[in-house]
């Protein structure tokens, strides 16, 4: 006789079930209702991911997410006023700003005038509401991923941006998606970016909210890059210290695509940054980098899957974490090389710098190789500051705190040097200096 195993829902899981039943009928896009329902059924079957789910073993969301925050409503005048300085951390970087407040596209705060030839920008809710064929064809289908957090995003996605770049268009000014949270609520945003053949685009994401504000963010970005396209994507996760943030990038590359990605995380109580990349055309190159600055009891997880479905592609993954107090970083990186993807060249490295004895770094690099003519490798390290180098600096009259700061800046700088946009690279280093000043 076999005993029936029943999943007992947590308070957060039950809250999500109740919320979906209330809002599913009024979410945008009748044509994708079946997709939403299927995604939520998949979530219900397993619930929030926990340590027995291999991909989530270091980030037990069932334990970390005690309750489901109420869904964010349409931002009122006060919320929109609070978001007027969205993305201020980027300083004077020249960019086209698109503001999303509490999960809702805010056109009155966005720079939508005089769009470059070949560039279109629309709210996702509008595109889904009109059953736009191009949007419906891509949303949720760019790179299907079986992930419980992503299933929740598909089920609840309310708004975001749809950005399309026509074949051959070169967008000189970076597009900045500025996400702002103003209340203790949950938002589920999704954006779609389609970059045509031979087109060029720099895309910046920033996520922010006030400290001590207990909110939840589940954000997803789907990116399609056509043949010979060049795309740079930079994500700045600067949420308030009470936030729980899950962010997912799903990207598919055609032939001879050049893709550069940089993720910077220093905010929120819990962060899960997921990247799922698929090389669908030969000759593409991807440089994926990230830097994490954590302190207190922060938990920051970077999880990457690079799927080489075609051969003759190059991938480089390079992540660095600086950890102080009782903080914890997680890096999970997987390189998959399919059977016929010969001449693949893909390597990854993760380095963690521990500034206290209570900090923890978990590194789990993986390779799944089904082809025989490839060059692949991975590595991971975790340790304290180099005592000999620290002594060398102190012996030349540099005080200990300044010497430590110089070493940490150099450590982060090696990851940030992959950012092609010089002004954004300087913003990352300035944020690092601010973090060090607050630490000191």
């Amino acid at each position: 006789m076999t005993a029936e195993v029943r999943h007992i829902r947590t308070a957060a899981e039950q809250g999500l079930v109740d919320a979906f039943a209330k809002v599913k009928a009024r979410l945008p896009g009748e044509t994708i209702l079946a997709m939403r329902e299927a995604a939520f059924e998949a979530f219900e079957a397993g619930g929030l991911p926990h340590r027995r789910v291999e991909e989530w073993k270091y980030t037990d969301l069932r334990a970390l997410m005690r309750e489901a925050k109420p869904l964010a409503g349409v931002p009122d005048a006060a919320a929109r006023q609070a978001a007027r300085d969205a993305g201020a951390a980027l300083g004077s970087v020249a960019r086209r700003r698109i503001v999303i407040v509490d999960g809702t596209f805010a056109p009155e705060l966005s720079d939508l005038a005089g769009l470059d030839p070949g560039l279109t920008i629309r709210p996702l809710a509008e595109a889904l509401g009109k059953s736009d064929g191009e949007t419906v064809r891509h949303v949720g289908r760019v790179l299907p991923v079986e992930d419980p957090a992503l299933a929740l995003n598909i089920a609840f996605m309310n708004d975001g941006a749809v950005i399309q770049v026509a074949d051959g268009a070169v967008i000189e000014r970076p597009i900045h998606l500025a996400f702002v949270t103003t209340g203790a609520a949950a938002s589920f945003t999704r954006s779609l970016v389609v970059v045509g053949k031979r087109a060029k685009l720099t895309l910046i994401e920033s996520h922010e909210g006030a400290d001590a504000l207990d909110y939840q963010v589940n954000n997803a970005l789907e990116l399609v890059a056509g043949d010979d396209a060049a795309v740079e994507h930079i994500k700045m996760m600067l949420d308030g210290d009470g936030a729980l943030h899950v962010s997912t990038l799903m990207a598919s590359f055609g032939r001879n695509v050049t893709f550069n990605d940089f993720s910077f995380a220093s905010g929120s109580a819990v962060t899960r940054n997921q990247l799922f990349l698929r090389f669908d055309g030969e000759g593409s190159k991807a440089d994926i980098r990230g830097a994490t600055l954590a302190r207190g009891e922060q938990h920051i997880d970077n999880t990457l899957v690079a799927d080489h479905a075609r051969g003759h592609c190059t991938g480089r993954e390079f992540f660095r974490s600086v950890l102080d107090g009782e903080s914890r970083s997680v890096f999970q990186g997987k390189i998959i090389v399919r059977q016929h993807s010969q001449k693949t060249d893909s390597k990854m490295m993760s380095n963690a710098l521990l500034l206290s004895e209570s900090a923890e770094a978990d590194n789990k690099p993986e390779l799944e190789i089904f082809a025989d003519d490839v060059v692949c490798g991975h590595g991971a390290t975790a340790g304290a500051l180099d005592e000999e180098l620290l002594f060398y600096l102190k012996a030349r009259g540099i005080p200990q705190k300044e010497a430590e700061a110089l070493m940490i800046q150099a450590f982060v700088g090696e990851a940030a040097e992959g950012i092609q946009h010089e002004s954004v690279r300087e913003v990352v280093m300035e944020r690092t200096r601010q973090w060090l000043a607050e630490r000191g």
Side-chain angles (χ1 to χ4, degrees):
M1 183 175 180
T2 304
E4 180 183 0
V5 178
R6 299 182 62 186
H7 171 65
I8 300 176
R9 291 176 182 153
T10 65
E13 290 168 340
Q14 186 60 51
L16 289 165
V17 170
D18 295 341
F20 186 68
K22 291 179 181 178
V23 304
K24 68 176 181 178
R26 62 175 186 264
L27 290 170
E30 291 183 7
T31 56
I32 64 166
L33 180 57
M35 180 192 298
R36 291 185 187 277
E37 292 177 336
F40 197 77
E41 286 175 6
F43 163 74
E44 280 189 293
L48 290 168
H50 48 84
R51 59 189 177 87
R52 292 185 180 179
V53 178
E54 181 63 25
E55 294 81 5
W56 289 80
K57 65 181 294 184
Y58 299 110
T59 303
D60 188 340
L61 202 58
R62 184 176 292 173
L64 292 168
M65 185 175 170
R66 296 294 185 181
E67 61 176 333
K69 293 295 178 182
L71 298 181
V74 177
D76 58 17
R80 294 174 188 271
Q81 179 64 33
R84 288 196 172 276
D85 294 328
L90 289 175
S92 60
V93 175
R95 62 202 188 273
R96 182 182 296 278
R97 191 182 69 156
I98 309 300
V99 180
I100 298 173
V101 185
D102 296 333
T104 298
F105 192 109
E108 73 280 9
L109 300 178
S110 302
D111 183 5
L112 299 173
L115 296 181
D116 306 57
L119 173 65
T120 60
I121 301 174
R122 294 172 296 158
L124 177 72
E126 175 187 299
L128 291 178
K130 293 180 178 179
S131 298
D132 175 75
E134 181 74 5
T135 303
V136 171
R137 181 169 70 89
H138 281 111
V139 168
R141 298 178 176 88
V142 168
L143 183 53
V145 176
E146 294 184 1
D147 178 81
L150 192 56
L152 281 174
N153 181 275
I154 294 172
F156 284 102
M157 61 181 175
N158 177 61
D159 206 354
V162 177
I163 301 171
Q164 293 171 295
V165 182
D167 292 351
V170 176
I171 310 304
E172 297 291 347
R173 189 162 41 138
I175 296 175
H176 174 201
L177 292 175
F179 295 87
V180 184
T181 302
T182 66
S187 60
F188 295 83
T189 53
R190 179 173 288 243
S191 297
L192 171 66
V193 180
V194 180
V195 182
K197 298 178 181 178
R198 304 176 306 282
K200 184 176 181 180
L201 173 69
T202 297
L203 180 68
I204 303 171
E205 283 184 68
S206 67
H207 299 266
E208 60 190 88
D211 283 338
L213 189 61
D214 186 5
Y215 63 90
Q216 296 168 353
V217 171
N218 189 323
N219 173 72
L221 171 66
E222 295 182 281
L223 170 67
V224 184
D227 297 348
D228 301 297
V231 181
E232 181 165 32
H233 174 242
I234 300 151
K235 184 188 296 182
M236 306 283 289
M237 290 172 283
L238 310 172
D239 292 277
D241 57 17
L244 186 153
H245 183 132
V246 178
S247 188
T248 306
L249 168 68
M250 296 155 286
S252 174
F253 311 133
R255 295 191 305 273
N256 301 316
V257 171
T258 300
F259 180 68
N260 288 284
D261 183 274
F262 183 83
S263 301
F264 181 80
S266 67
S268 80
V270 178
T271 298
R272 165 83 169 199
N273 179 40
Q274 305 187 123
L275 302 94
F276 299 98
L277 316 176
R278 186 174 63 203
F279 295 80
D280 279 329
E282 294 189 347
S284 291
K285 298 179 180 179
D287 186 14
I288 315 300
R289 293 171 177 252
T292 291
L293 302 177
R295 60 190 170 199
E297 296 181 353
Q298 282 182 285
H299 179 109
I300 301 179
D301 177 342
N302 286 291
T303 292
L304 164 70
V305 178
D307 186 351
H308 291 264
R310 294 291 184 272
H312 299 270
C313 292
T314 302
R316 293 291 183 271
E317 294 85 37
F318 186 62
F319 282 73
R320 289 208 154 164
S321 301
V322 181
L323 308 171
D324 204 359
E326 298 180 356
S327 62
R328 182 181 187 185
S329 75
V330 177
F331 174 78
Q332 298 183 107
K334 178 185 288 187
I335 296 172
I336 303 172
V337 182
R338 302 295 176 181
Q339 185 173 2
H340 302 292
S341 301
Q342 306 293 356
K343 302 296 183 181
T344 293
D345 181 357
S346 192
K347 300 180 179 69
M348 73 170 65
M349 173 61 75
S350 172
N351 307 117
L353 183 58
L354 309 179
L355 303 181
S356 77
E357 294 183 357
S358 301
E360 178 180 338
D362 297 299
N363 294 306
K364 192 182 76 167
E366 300 175 79
L367 298 176
E368 289 186 7
I369 301 174
F370 302 97
D372 53 12
D373 188 5
V374 302
V375 178
C376 293
H378 61 64
T381 65
L385 289 167
D386 187 322
E387 290 292 342
E388 290 187 8
L389 182 53
L390 190 59
F391 176 80
Y392 175 86
L393 294 173
K394 290 165 63 178
R396 278 147 183 79
I398 301 176
Q400 169 129 354
K401 285 294 183 183
E402 290 184 26
E404 290 179 358
L406 287 172
M407 292 173 66
I408 294 168
Q409 287 179 59
F411 182 77
V412 174
E414 286 191 72
E417 68 183 11
I419 303 174
Q420 294 183 344
H421 197 287
E422 183 177 354
S423 298
V424 179
R425 185 167 63 246
E426 179 53 36
V427 167
V428 170
M429 295 312 300
E430 178 58 30
R431 295 292 302 190
T432 302
R433 289 189 284 270
Q434 291 177 15
W435 187 88
L436 290 168
E438 292 168 2
R439 172 180 182 259

